[in-house]
Amino acid sequence: MLTFTIRRLFLSVPTLLFIGLVIFLLLELAPGDPMAQVPLTVPPEVKEKMRLALGLGEPGHIRFMKWLVQFFWIEPLNLFDHIFGTGFAEGKLRVISWQTRSPVMDIVMQRIPQTLWVVGLAYVVGVLIALPIGIYSAYRQYSVFDQAGTFVAMIGYSVPPFFSGVLLIVIFSVKLGWLPSIYDTTHVVNDWASFKVQLMQMIMPVMVLALQTTAQISRFMRASMLDNLNQDYVRTARAKGMTESVVVMVHVLRNSMIPVVTVIALGVPGIFGGAIITEQVFKVNGIGQLLITAIQANDLPMVQTLTFIFAILIVVFNLIADVLYGVLDPRIRYD
Amino acid sequence: MTEPVIHNPVGAAQAARLPEKARSQWRDVWDQFRTHKGALTGLGFFVFILLAVIVGPLLWDIDPKYIDIRARNSGPSLAHPFGTDQLGRDTLARMIAGGRTSVSVGLMAMALSLVLGTFIGVLAGYFRRLDGLFMRFTDLFLALPLLPLLLVIILLFRDALRSAFGPEAGIFILIVGVIGITSWMQTARIVRGDVLALKEREFVLAARSIGTPSRRMITRHILPNVMSPIMVSATLGIANAIITESALSFLGLGFPSDFPTWGRLLFDSTDYLQQYPERVMWPGLAISLTVLSVNYIGDGLRDALDPRIRGR
């Protein structure tokens, strides 16, 4: 198992390099010019120097290498310095945003907590709702509950977050006035009252994202439970005289969870992608919103870094899913 | 069509029975499809939407771009059943025009991704030499962060294509193209798996033994037999393309405002959420119900095309 993990880790390096190259080459074609905002009175040779200072004006392959070094060596060094108070990265050029002229990773680090709070919580809530629904739907297959679950899952698949989010805002913010429609990131939680405000503003974005997770995972849980409920070992367990709850909740559930756990791991990067839209609906200033503003402002280093972070998430969670599957299911051995 | 020669060893014993009309496979599929209520309802609704966007402009002949500023922000009335927007444009006419764009983007992008996915899937499954290369390629595409990349691609190529094909056709080509080339991977994987299984079947062996060339093998024997997974992923493809197009429009990176799509109408309506909350309903419902109906059709098709379920 360890050799498999190590081999997969090595295999993910070329994948990431390829993705980084694709993103880089795409942005090479960008028509935008970071010097467009500079006044016309600035002489061309000064502009050329400013361009060089931004890391432009060199051949493509050198800039790609420089970006790789910046992303994989200098940025981690900065993180190390930040944690331990050392000075390894001093004087080294970091990835600089064209919008703010400050390091991209600093801005990303400011934005990530908001995204993680909303997206992460939504995923946890979605999974927690989905699992019992899936288990009960499978146990009572074709019952009214199961039919209703199928219908709700279909709706969860079909209603896009930009409509379900807007719909929730219309109902709960405009008509009823119960919940705020805009997520206030500057809000500080320090006592019970402010915690309640935080809870109120999180309910809607979390629910919108959770609906999609629930739809997907509950269907998967149901299918996996149905596969296991007809197996011979279930009959054996019942024949041994075990109570129904032990049979279902221990024997069947544990085996059914194996594929579901990997699906849960695989779904994590997807929900970050979905968060781009949800953040836009509820005006959460997380990394999704950062990406949209960077795209509109033609801030290429920011776009490149953020897209690459999304790619890393996908590759890492694919790896986690593969390894988890091998660990949980002894029938599956890759080597 | 010539009558097939029936070799009947029982001969006269069966003569009394009337020759039953041969049932084609698609007849069986349709009979099974009809038993799925959700799928039938979905098909009905999807046909209704198609009719509405095709013949709708003939019946409701208000120009969606006609600005009647005195009638702006009016509620539902006989003259404007869905009301008007902030410039006095008729919402029903704009919904029909938007539906035309959204549905055609959905169908075209689906067709593109199906052709790509089937092509790669069949080649990877049929030719062992190409398998490793094509599947690594598919895996790489699956590892790409699609929504951010879609946004970036549209940002980069919008102006170039607009100047080449005009503002409307250019953005249409761009959106159909990017959705198509970023959503073929699932189809390719499913088709490859099915082709791999088919290749081991006896009829393929028989065809090979009489010297059928690969080209005809694929078109005559392999492709007809992978039609069912392709059709199911076609329905999922339509749903996915409509949602992606709406999401892009909603993020302000899709079609321009004077060229409405459902996503764009929804995006424009959110600015007036406080004053006219009902205005977001029409485009939102249209997107959701169309996608829901297409998903139900896919569900029904999956059951109908599965020979293990059919006929029970």
Side-chain angles (χ1 to χ4, degrees), chain A residues 74-147:
Chain A
I74 298 177
E75 293 298 341
L77 266 188
N78 270 294
L79 187 68
F80 188 83
D81 285 357
H82 183 74
I83 296 170
F84 297 104
T86 50
F88 290 120
E90 264 170 43
K92 294 204 169 82
L93 186 65
R94 303 180 63 181
V95 186
I96 302 289
S97 158
W98 290 351
Q99 273 173 299
T100 60
R101 309 287 149 116
S102 62
V104 166
M105 283 313 262
D106 289 0
I107 305 171
V108 173
M109 281 301 161
Q110 289 164 8
R111 299 297 189 92
I112 274 188
Q114 286 87 281
T115 300
L116 272 189
W117 261 113
V118 175
V119 172
L121 197 68
Y123 205 56
V124 173
V125 169
V127 170
L128 285 182
I129 297 174
L131 293 186
I133 292 181
I135 296 169
Y136 196 74
S137 292
Y139 190 64
R140 296 248 179 274
Q141 198 188 1
Y142 302 131
S143 66
V144 178
F145 183 87
D146 184 27
Q147 306 278 4

Side-chain angles (χ1 to χ4, degrees), chain B residues 223-303:
Chain B
L223 269 184
N225 282 297
V226 290
M227 274 319 279
S228 38
I230 291 177
M231 282 177 69
V232 173
S233 64
T235 58
L236 297 180
I238 296 178
N240 174 45
I242 290 179
I243 284 197
T244 312
E245 183 275 315
S246 310
L248 291 175
S249 294
F250 186 78
L251 293 173
L253 282 159
F255 288 91
S257 180
D258 51 349
F259 187 46
T261 71
W262 287 337
R264 184 76 213 188
L265 289 173
L266 182 61
F267 177 60
D268 289 346
S269 313
T270 51
D271 293 343
Y272 298 89
L273 207 53
Q274 295 281 344
Q275 300 97 317
Y276 308 104
E278 70 282 350
R279 210 177 274 171
V280 297
M281 289 300 158
W282 299 119
L285 273 182
I287 297 171
S288 308
L289 287 179
T290 308
V291 172
L292 189 67
S293 70
V294 172
N295 275 339
Y296 263 115
I297 296 173
D299 216 33
L301 262 186
R302 194 183 351 244
D303 289 356

Side-chain angles (χ1 to χ4, degrees), chain A residues 26 30 151 158 162-163 167 303, chain B residues 156 246 281 284 288 292 295-296:
Chain A
L26 260 180
F151 185 66
S158 308
F162 46 83
F163 182 52
L167 200 64
V303 174
Chain B
L156 297 182
S246 310
M281 289 300 158
S288 308
L292 189 67
N295 275 339
Y296 263 115

Side-chain angles (χ1 to χ4, degrees), chain A residues 15 18-19 26-27 29-30 151 154 158 160 162-163 166-167 169-170 273 277 280-281 291-292 295 303 307 310-311 314, chain B residues 140 143-145 147-149 151-152 155-157 246-247 250-251 266 270 273 277 280-281 284-285 288 291-292 295-296:
Chain A
T15 314
F18 173 80
I19 295 170
L26 260 180
L27 294 179
L29 300 166
F151 185 66
M154 267 297 193
S158 308
F162 46 83
F163 182 52
V166 168
L167 200 64
I169 290 180
V170 167
I277 293 163
Q280 202 70 9
V281 173
L291 178 72
I292 300 287
I295 283 177
V303 174
T307 320
F310 280 114
I314 294 177
Chain B
L140 282 178
L144 288 175
L147 190 57
L149 271 188
L151 298 175
V152 171
L155 171 82
L156 297 182
F157 296 104
S246 310
F250 186 78
L251 293 173
L266 182 61
T270 51
L273 207 53
V280 297
M281 289 300 158
L285 273 182
S288 308
V291 172
L292 189 67
N295 275 339
Y296 263 115

Side-chain angles (χ1 to χ4, degrees), chain B residues 35-74:
Chain B
T35 61
H36 196 305
K37 278 203 197 67
L40 215 56
T41 319
L43 186 67
F45 185 79
F46 192 60
V47 169
F48 166 71
I49 287 283
L50 280 182
L51 282 179
V53 300
I54 293 169
V55 298
L58 303 175
L59 301 175
W60 188 254
D61 52 2
I62 296 182
D63 183 2
K65 287 178 184 157
Y66 175 68
I67 294 175
D68 181 8
I69 200 77
R70 286 183 198 186
R72 69 179 187 275
N73 295 330
S74 62

Side-chain angles (χ1 to χ4, degrees), chain B residues 122-133:
Chain B
V122 166
L123 287 190
Y126 193 78
F127 298 106
R128 187 176 292 257
R129 270 176 299 132
L130 296 175
D131 191 20
L133 181 71

